[in-house]
Amino acid sequence: MPTRIHFHKGDITEMAVDAIVNAANTDLALGAGVAGAIRRKGGPRIQEECDRIGPIDLGGAAVTTGGNLKALYVIHAASMRLGGRTTADSLRQSVRNTLERAEEKAFKSIAFPAIGTGVAGFPMEECARIMIEEAQTHLKSRTSLEDIYFVLYDDAALQTFEQTYKQLQSRAK
Ligand code: APR
């Protein structure tokens, strides 16, 4: 069955999926934004596990428990160094590695935020293009993933992702 890509507006910590993706830094120190919401709602076990695993490489991705979240796991996508900025390459690598981790763990469903576009200051449109391109590339090979969600925090971000997806789909034809 083909994997479905979905676009939702909402709070990623509310998603009942196998794994939600954290917009992480290489230290795996959960700060504000998505990480802050995960820390608050997921409880202390997530940061405790991050402290044992981190630091990871720039562009890397690490799996921890989902703690008290509805999601069973969190995949921490390190698109930036603490205090640094997300680049196109580090974003692409972190998304690719996140999808690899999901496949390794045989996850069926995963939810991504717009990584890099908050504290890390990465442009939303370029983020959408890179993240959707990496998802489409991943889906060309065998994967356990049946549903990939992009969970955006406001209407503008949702619209950017949906329009970018349409453009990439029409280009693919
Ligand atoms: N659900 C979905 N999206 C969210 C949520 C949420 N609960 N909270 C914030 N966002 C959106 C933001 O509006 C932004 O568009 O997620 C996007 C990513 O924003 P950040 O979480 O700030 O992530 P990023 O820009 O990648 O910066 C990561 O910030 O919080 C620290 O520890 C974190 O060092 C890391 C850095």
Side-chain angles (χ1 to χ4, degrees):
M1 171 181 56
T3 304
R4 293 178 297 273
I5 293 183
H6 314 265
F7 300 96
H8 277 338
K9 177 184 157 194
D11 176 348
I12 196 166
T13 61
E14 290 304 313
M15 293 295 287
V17 288
D18 287 339
I20 64 167
V21 180
N22 178 28
N25 54 60
T26 51
D27 285 8
L28 300 186
L30 278 73
V34 170
I38 289 173
R39 184 167 35 77
R40 280 191 302 281
K41 291 200 181 164
R45 281 173 50 211
I46 299 173
Q47 186 65 68
E48 284 162 11
E49 241 184 274
C50 284
D51 291 346
R52 285 197 294 276
I53 297 168
I56 63 174
D57 292 344
L58 182 63
V63 182
T64 68
T65 177
N68 306 326
L69 295 172
K70 291 179 184 147
L72 299 172
Y73 298 92
V74 178
I75 304 179
H76 302 265
S79 78
M80 57 175 282
R81 288 195 174 80
L82 200 57
R85 296 177 73 79
T86 296
T87 64
D89 190 51
S90 66
L91 174 61
R92 192 176 290 279
Q93 289 305 323
S94 68
V95 174
R96 187 172 301 167
N97 281 313
T98 295
L99 291 162
E100 287 296 312
R101 291 300 87 74
E103 163 62 16
E104 287 158 10
K105 296 275 186 180
F107 291 161
K108 289 192 167 65
S109 56
I110 187 171
F112 283 96
I115 296 172
T117 60
V119 169
F122 198 76
M124 188 64 75
E125 197 160 337
E126 196 180 350
C127 170
R129 186 172 52 73
I130 289 170
M131 292 189 77
I132 295 169
E133 280 173 353
E134 284 308 312
Q136 290 177 324
T137 301
H138 179 80
L139 298 183
K140 288 195 178 93
S141 53
R142 201 188 60 75
T143 178
S144 57
L145 286 171
E146 292 169 7
D147 291 287
I148 297 179
Y149 296 87
F150 288 95
V151 181
L152 292 319
Y153 215 33
D154 56 47
D155 289 323
L158 175 65
Q159 209 170 39
T160 301
F161 268 72
E162 287 178 332
Q163 280 167 357
T164 303
Y165 181 63
K166 284 195 193 86
Q167 286 157 13
L168 289 171
Q169 286 293 84
S170 56
R171 208 185 295 169
K173 283 192 180 67

